[in-house]
Amino acid sequence: MMSIHHILAHLAPATLAQAAAPAAAPAGNPMPEGTIPPDFWMPVGASTIAGSVDQMLAVINWICYFFFALVVVLMAYFAWKYRVRSNSHRFRMDGPVHNTPLELTWTIIPLLLCVVIFFMGFRGYLDFSQPPKNSYDIDVTAVKWAWTFKYPNGAQSDDLYVPAGRPVRLVMRSSDVLHSLFIPAFRVKRDVVPGRYTHLWFQSDAITGADHGYHLFCTEYCGTGHSNMNRRVYVLGETEFNEWLEQQARWIDEIDDEELYFKAGPKIYARCSQCHSIDGSMGTGPSWKGLWEKVSGGAGSDQKFADGKSYRDLIGPGKEYATPEDYIRDSIYNPGRHLVSGYGNVMPTFKGQLSDRATDAVIGMLKRLDEFDSKGQWTKAAAPAAK
Amino acid sequence: MTTIGIRDPHTLAPAAEDNYITHTKGFLSWIVTLDHKRIGVMYMVAVLLSFLLGGIFALLLRTELLTPGRTFVDADTYNQFFTLHGAIMVFLVIIPSIPAALGNFVLPIMLGAKDVAFPRLNLFSFYLWLLGAGCTLLSLAMGGFDTGWTFYTPYSTTTTTGGVIPVIVGVFILGFSSIFTGMNFIVTIHALRPKGMTWFRMPLFLWALYSTAIIQVLATPVLAITLGLLVVERVLNVGIFNPSMGGDPVLYQHFFWFYSHPAVYIMIVPAMGIVSELIAVHAHRHIFGYRFIAFSSIAIAMFSFLVWGHHMFTSGQSALMNTIFSAISFSVAIPSAVKVFNWLATLYKGSISLNTPMLYALSFLVLFTIGGLTGLHLATLSTDVHLHDTYFVVAHFHYVMMGSALIAMIGGLHHWWPKMTGRMYNEKLGMIACTIVFIGFNLTFFTQFMLGSHGMPRRYYDYQPEFQIYHVISTIGSYIMAFGFLMTAGYLIQSLISGAKAPANPWGGRSLEWQCASPPPHDNFKEQPRVGDCYDFSIVRWDESQKGYVVDRSLDPELDEGAPQTAKA
């Protein structure tokens, strides 16, 4: 909680602009070059359209200030000037009852202003509704409750990395419900709709580097983890971006097979952790604790699914899944096939989003779950003496 | 009991005789009553209780937002809080508050009629409301629902919370309650206007209720169909909106907003009608530009059907549709601006009593101006893309829905309180409470404009720490506002117990409801009274013996029974 002093400081008009500033700067970083500094109303602006949006907003704001002041001043003046003591015995009768020219005036002036505002907003909108032809495409998949960004060379990331100085087009789809991608610093937003592709484009020239990014939010309500679908947008210079892209495409292949489960596993689990705990605590999905014992014929393997079958009925040579690994993989790719009792058909498919090696890493992690803490961090490295 | 047609106003003094409250006695006489006044009072009690419930959810969710992350509940509970707050406030409180509660009570009396055209339908619609409200409460017992009040698919058809079906059924039923009230009002205004009351002599509140009724009757069936399809999809797995079954989620949004945007005007247009009455009566001044105000209500009702697409600027609908909807959306600004300027002009050279109802009317003017002007930011395409689905939108519609519609409703409640209950409330406490509510409201919601424009999305359980200062101020504001409302409840209840007896016309009103006793007798008027100009205050004068005003009908040749009749039939 803030102190009263702090709140008062925020309320003083002179300090308001400064107070608003940290709300917008990318994660406490000094503002990158080429950005529009934040002000009383708007956060930092870091895209090529931010300037025109802010200008439009300022125009509307000044129209609003003017009319608000006009209405309030007239209202206060009349209410004071023409007030009477209660139970007045006489009412004045000299007020006009109507005045058509005057009324037409205050019909037509707002009308003209609205036409002007509409056209200005329309022109600004046209500027950013069509992506330029030479844009750099990034595929976006939204699921409850994570984003996947896929780059032309096959690289994937959870945060958005974009090259500076060239138009970027996001080709977006959703695996489950409605989401919406919003980057306040770029002044762009578009719903991500299941069953269709939607597009969004922007260009940012303000390089942030890979340490402090701009906010990226989900703005269409999507359930429990809606407010945790916030990631960062990093704007990188050309060479830096290309290096990152190369490294990102290869990282999982460069890990040795034996090290895969603890080097790649936690990174992938970060996404699963939205719903699945490791320590047995309740979540949107069943906890991973004890899962491997259940699927491999150990403790709890007679536990029944919602459809009445048990793990033992499903998994084993000649059954629906020949090996426990097959079952795990299919649960990731076709999550609704066998629902664990007490849980809804909520999980979206991760087919096409997790590579074979990534899936292997998850399975490896499940097999040795006792080596990880409740947050999914590998504890063995930190405490080698434990074993 | 004397009739209203008699010249001597002294005989109108209520002398502990028969009124609608004492006409018949017992619980049964209330629940099977066909009297529009009793039905209006029952609606009012029900709506105010719902307002309390919705308000408790608002305070819970504001408290949760005091800190980022968990303050005292988890994300799922928070999601239920805001969903319930929205659904209760929209469907149970604001939509029925003015037409069904105040409108039911006042409309027939303003017309000099004994009742609405279909009293049984009126009672039926109240029972439908109770049934719908019951379904909503039932859904709470069945696990609640976390879909947001908009029930967007496919989330609403896939969420695992158990109360989705009951609440959808509830809203479906509430819709019919609203349709029946609307039909009743349309017929009543067409058929039961008294001699001399031409369309352009109706009090402006009636114009507003008439416009509202048209929207209720035309738009609400679309909601019913949409919710029906939602149930079909969720229960029978028929793919209508869910793309995994071949449906289209954007179609749902079109259907939903085709009702729900007009529904915004179901909420605000009657509020504008109340404000026209409050300002004219408490400024004791002929309303300025009657026809412009009346026509602007009709214009808003018509435009309301053409602008639903502005809720979907970022939904993926085509740029052309966005452009068209943006252009039409601005058209709503014009009649709204006309009304504000006409109200201001009505204050000019008035004889203004600065009392509680007037204070609420002035609060409405300020808050509606802010709510209306910020609509410009959201109708403009380029700025809406940034502001869409952020707290800016939340602040905007609270300024219109709460700061305008509910504030006008509470102003109207104070205005007609002496008429409904026969008691006066404590004027000083009323003005203090109104001021507290006004301050609390602006603290709560003005900060949310800033939250939104800085990029804070709506319906967020957790948020970035830099937004906290705004959330803290907003929450403190909501507590202040709650205190103001509790104070209001306190002195209103106190007035029922020990309030001074109300005269027939405590404010100096001119329309017909101020010319029958407080509270009105069962039949309102023994015979249909003739009416003149309901905003001509020159024949209203103070009568010391009644401690109230009287409409001295002898001063108006049109109303003088002995004079040649000049009124148009």
Side-chain angles (χ1 to χ4, degrees):
Chain A
M1 282 276 280
M2 303 265 179
S3 68
I4 291 294
H5 173 78
H6 206 133
I7 293 169
L8 286 178
H10 277 265
L11 284 175
T15 58
L16 260 170
Q18 288 95 314
N29 192 30
M31 261 155 330
E33 229 171 284
T35 53
I36 302 165
D39 61 17
F40 185 78
W41 286 112
M42 293 302 258
V44 65
S47 71
T48 48
I49 62 158
S52 80
V53 172
D54 291 8
Q55 224 166 27
M56 184 71 236
L57 199 98
V59 169
I60 301 173
N61 276 346
W62 282 107
I63 292 174
C64 291
Y65 298 152
F66 173 77
F67 279 100
F68 179 72
L70 182 75
V71 168
V72 171
V73 167
L74 282 179
M75 186 192 90
Y77 176 71
F78 290 160
W80 189 251
K81 173 129 204 256
Y82 301 111
R83 75 192 188 283
V84 291
R85 298 261 155 259
S86 52
N87 305 342
S88 162
H89 293 224
R90 288 199 87 82
F91 303 133
R92 59 189 296 169
M93 283 300 141
D94 55 339
V97 168
H98 69 99
N99 183 330
T100 308
L102 189 62
E103 288 174 82
L104 284 176
T105 310
W106 65 52
T107 311
I108 290 166
I109 289 178
L111 180 68
L112 292 177
L113 277 175
C114 282
V115 171
V116 171
I117 298 174
F118 164 72
F119 268 103
M120 289 176 68
F122 172 56
R123 277 180 50 187
Y125 177 72
L126 282 190
D127 286 343
F128 62 82
S129 64
Q130 281 304 319
K133 288 226 161 50
N134 61 339
S135 60
Y136 181 83
D137 278 8
I138 298 172
D139 283 342
V140 180
T141 307
V143 297
K144 290 191 287 193
W145 291 278
W147 302 95
T148 308
F149 301 100
K150 252 191 218 172
Y151 302 82
N153 71 341
Q156 285 189 24
S157 65
D158 292 343
D159 290 299
L160 178 60
Y161 291 79
V162 296
R166 66 177 294 191
V168 172
R169 185 172 77 137
L170 304 183
V171 180
M172 308 190 291
R173 63 199 173 100
S174 163
S175 302
D176 40 39
V177 299
L178 294 166
H179 300 277
S180 187
L181 188 141
F182 176 34
I183 306 171
F186 295 173
R187 315 285 191 259
V188 292
K189 179 182 294 131
R190 200 71 194 257
D191 286 7
V192 185
V193 183
R196 60 166 81 176
Y197 289 95
T198 55
H199 304 269
L200 179 154
W201 84 272
F202 52 80
Q203 177 178 335
S204 176
D205 303 333
I207 295 171
T208 61
D211 296 325
H212 304 283
Y214 304 112
H215 288 303
L216 182 154
F217 294 120
C218 174
T219 49
E220 189 66 69
Y221 172 68
C222 56
T224 314
H226 173 48
S227 60
N228 293 327
M229 264 181 88
N230 55 339
R231 306 300 308 188
R232 295 275 172 180
V233 183
Y234 300 101
V235 183
L236 305 183
E238 196 184 345
T239 45
E240 203 188 347
F241 180 75
N242 287 332
E243 277 169 25
W244 175 85
L245 205 57
E246 277 302 301
Q247 192 270 330
Q248 189 71 10
R250 286 195 321 263
W251 73 277
I252 201 163
D253 297 324
E254 285 175 349
I255 300 170
D256 289 339
D257 284 349
E258 308 82 68
E259 295 180 324
L260 191 64
Y261 78 96
F262 66 83
K263 280 195 170 164
K267 282 189 180 174
I268 296 158
Y269 174 71
R271 166 169 303 189
C272 313
S273 68
Q274 298 272 0
C275 303
H276 301 280
S277 74
I278 286 181
D279 57 5
S281 57
M282 290 279 288
T284 308
S287 174
W288 283 3
K289 187 176 186 176
L291 177 60
W292 190 255
E293 287 73 36
K294 290 178 200 165
V295 296
S296 56
S301 62
D302 47 1
Q303 191 184 314
K304 296 237 182 344
F305 285 92
D307 55 13
K309 292 176 182 160
S310 69
Y311 288 99
R312 210 188 294 256
D313 296 338
L314 291 174
I315 305 162
K319 298 181 184 161
E320 187 171 344
Y321 303 107
T323 63
E325 284 85 352
D326 283 333
Y327 167 77
I328 300 289
R329 175 195 296 259
D330 197 50
S331 300
I332 296 170
Y333 290 174
N334 299 306
R337 181 165 293 173
H338 298 286
L339 290 178
V340 177
S341 305
Y343 293 93
N345 187 2
V346 176
M347 179 166 159
T349 175
F350 284 85
K351 204 171 191 164
Q353 293 185 60
L354 284 188
S355 65
D356 284 352
R357 276 185 77 74
T359 311
D360 287 346
V362 169
I363 293 172
M365 195 175 161
L366 278 172
K367 286 179 182 168
R368 301 174 190 81
L369 212 57
D370 54 329
E371 293 175 21
F372 296 87
D373 68 9
S374 64
K375 295 223 159 60
Q377 293 309 308
W378 194 50
T379 50
K380 252 182 129 182
K387 205 160 186 184
Chain B
M1 179 60 206
T2 52
T3 63
I4 202 71
I6 287 184
R7 256 195 238 179
D8 183 2
H10 293 256
T11 56
L12 291 177
E17 79 277 294
D18 181 48
N19 64 46
Y20 81 99
I21 301 172
T22 58
H23 184 68
T24 48
K25 285 202 163 53
F27 181 68
L28 197 66
S29 77
W30 277 83
I31 61 169
V32 298
T33 183
L34 298 180
D35 183 355
H36 68 95
K37 296 183 287 299
R38 286 187 168 194
I39 295 172
V41 168
M42 291 195 292
Y43 259 122
M44 182 55 84
V45 171
V47 161
L48 290 177
L49 286 177
S50 307
F51 180 51
L52 176 67
L53 187 63
I56 288 170
F57 282 118
L59 291 174
L60 287 174
L61 75 88
R62 277 310 330 160
T63 304
E64 171 54 42
L65 288 172
L66 268 173
T67 59
R70 184 189 170 99
T71 305
F72 76 108
V73 292
D74 61 16
D76 289 325
T77 314
Y78 170 80
N79 291 345
Q80 295 224 5
F81 283 170
F82 79 70
T83 302
L84 285 161
H85 165 68
I88 289 173
M89 287 301 196
V90 169
F91 296 113
L92 292 180
V93 181
I94 309 181
I95 289 180
S97 66
I98 298 177
L102 286 174
N104 243 324
F105 191 94
V106 177
L107 179 138
I109 311 182
M110 274 186 159
L111 287 174
K114 285 185 179 178
D115 211 312
V116 291
F118 307 121
R120 282 190 175 77
L121 186 66
N122 201 16
L123 184 65
F124 182 51
S125 83
F126 176 66
Y127 280 112
L128 282 181
W129 185 95
L130 282 185
L131 190 62
C135 285
T136 310
L137 292 181
L138 179 71
S139 90
L140 280 180
M142 291 177 63
F145 55 107
D146 66 341
T147 59
W149 76 276
T150 48
F151 307 115
Y152 266 19
T153 54
Y155 189 80
S156 59
T157 48
T158 53
T159 178
T160 49
T161 46
V164 177
I165 298 286
V167 75
I168 289 175
V169 172
V171 171
F172 182 89
I173 295 170
L174 288 168
F176 278 96
S177 164
S178 172
I179 292 170
F180 291 153
T181 302
M183 280 165 51
N184 223 335
F185 285 4
I186 292 176
V187 176
T188 307
I189 289 173
H190 272 277
L192 298 184
R193 271 176 298 124
K195 211 172 178 186
M197 189 182 281
T198 58
W199 280 90
F200 289 106
R201 279 188 164 180
M202 288 199 306
L204 285 163
F205 184 45
L206 297 188
W207 271 101
L209 286 178
Y210 185 76
S211 313
T212 308
I214 290 174
I215 311 175
Q216 284 176 305
V217 169
L218 293 182
T220 317
V222 179
L223 177 73
I225 295 165
T226 311
L227 295 177
L229 291 174
L230 206 61
V231 171
V232 165
E233 175 165 301
R234 194 175 160 98
V235 177
L236 306 176
N237 282 320
V238 176
I240 298 159
F241 305 124
N242 190 344
S244 66
M245 296 187 282
D248 181 359
V250 179
L251 179 69
Y252 174 84
Q253 298 178 29
H254 279 293
F255 282 175
F256 181 80
W257 289 112
F258 188 85
Y259 163 76
S260 291
H261 194 79
V264 170
Y265 299 100
I266 292 176
M267 306 183 220
I268 191 66
V269 170
M272 293 165 159
I274 286 183
V275 170
S276 298
E277 296 301 317
L278 294 188
I279 289 185
V281 169
H282 295 275
H284 307 103
R285 155 90 155 81
H286 195 292
I287 194 88
F288 183 89
Y290 177 98
R291 281 179 189 243
F292 267 71
I293 296 184
F295 280 128
S296 64
S297 286
I298 296 290
I300 290 174
M302 291 197 317
F303 288 139
S304 74
F305 285 98
L306 306 173
V307 299
W308 79 89
H310 69 219
H311 294 268
M312 303 164 60
F313 282 164
T314 66
S315 73
Q317 74 181 359
S318 73
L320 176 68
M321 278 171 78
N322 280 348
T323 307
I324 294 169
F325 278 121
S326 168
I328 307 174
S329 295
F330 279 106
S331 65
V332 181
I334 319 297
S336 307
V338 166
K339 279 182 190 275
V340 169
F341 288 126
N342 279 18
W343 289 325
L344 279 180
T346 306
L347 293 174
Y348 173 67
K349 290 195 175 175
S351 310
I352 299 169
S353 305
L354 284 177
N355 52 19
T356 311
M358 192 61 177
L359 224 48
Y360 273 103
L362 298 181
S363 303
F364 172 97
L365 270 181
V366 174
L367 301 178
F368 179 70
T369 302
I370 296 176
L373 285 171
T374 49
L376 295 175
H377 299 80
L378 299 172
T380 306
L381 282 170
S382 62
T383 47
D384 177 71
V385 169
H386 177 69
L387 300 171
H388 201 90
D389 271 330
T390 66
Y391 264 74
F392 194 93
V393 177
V394 176
H396 163 73
F397 73 69
H398 276 93
Y399 265 87
V400 179
M401 301 288 82
M402 172 155 200
S404 309
L406 265 173
I407 288 292
M409 195 278 271
I410 291 165
L413 181 65
H414 283 84
H415 181 67
W416 285 300
W417 183 263
K419 188 55 63 182
M420 297 174 93
T421 64
R423 302 287 186 163
M424 300 302 289
Y425 52 83
N426 186 321
E427 195 61 61
K428 198 173 271 174
L429 287 179
M431 293 175 70
I432 292 170
C434 176
T435 312
I436 292 173
V437 168
F438 182 80
I439 292 169
F441 179 89
N442 282 298
L443 273 182
T444 310
F445 293 109
F446 198 81
T447 42
Q448 297 189 5
F449 280 124
M450 307 182 66
L451 267 178
S453 67
H454 280 108
M456 165 90 200
R458 64 191 287 200
R459 297 175 168 178
Y460 259 31
Y461 167 72
D462 193 6
Y463 54 83
Q464 302 299 318
E466 62 255 35
F467 291 130
Q468 187 177 11
I469 179 68
Y470 301 107
H471 277 297
V472 170
I473 297 174
S474 183
T475 303
I476 292 172
S478 72
Y479 294 159
I480 294 175
M481 193 164 33
F483 177 74
F485 281 126
L486 284 179
M487 195 172 151
T488 308
Y491 69 72
L492 286 182
I493 291 169
Q494 182 256 327
S495 93
L496 289 179
I497 300 162
S498 59
K501 247 181 150 0
N505 188 352
W507 316 122
R510 170 67 176 82
S511 42
L512 285 176
E513 81 269 30
W514 303 113
Q515 299 177 43
C516 66
S518 301
H522 177 68
D523 291 330
N524 302 342
F525 304 94
K526 284 278 183 255
E527 59 189 52
Q528 213 177 39
R530 290 196 299 132
V531 283
D533 183 341
C534 63
Y535 294 109
D536 174 14
F537 290 88
S538 64
I539 62 166
V540 179
R541 60 176 179 78
W542 177 255
D543 182 1
E544 192 57 42
S545 68
Q546 290 194 36
K547 295 284 177 215
Y549 292 88
V550 287
V551 177
D552 192 343
R553 300 168 75 86
S554 66
L555 294 176
D556 188 345
E558 224 179 277
L559 296 175
D560 192 349
E561 313 299 297
Q565 300 202 351
T566 51
K568 281 174 272 182

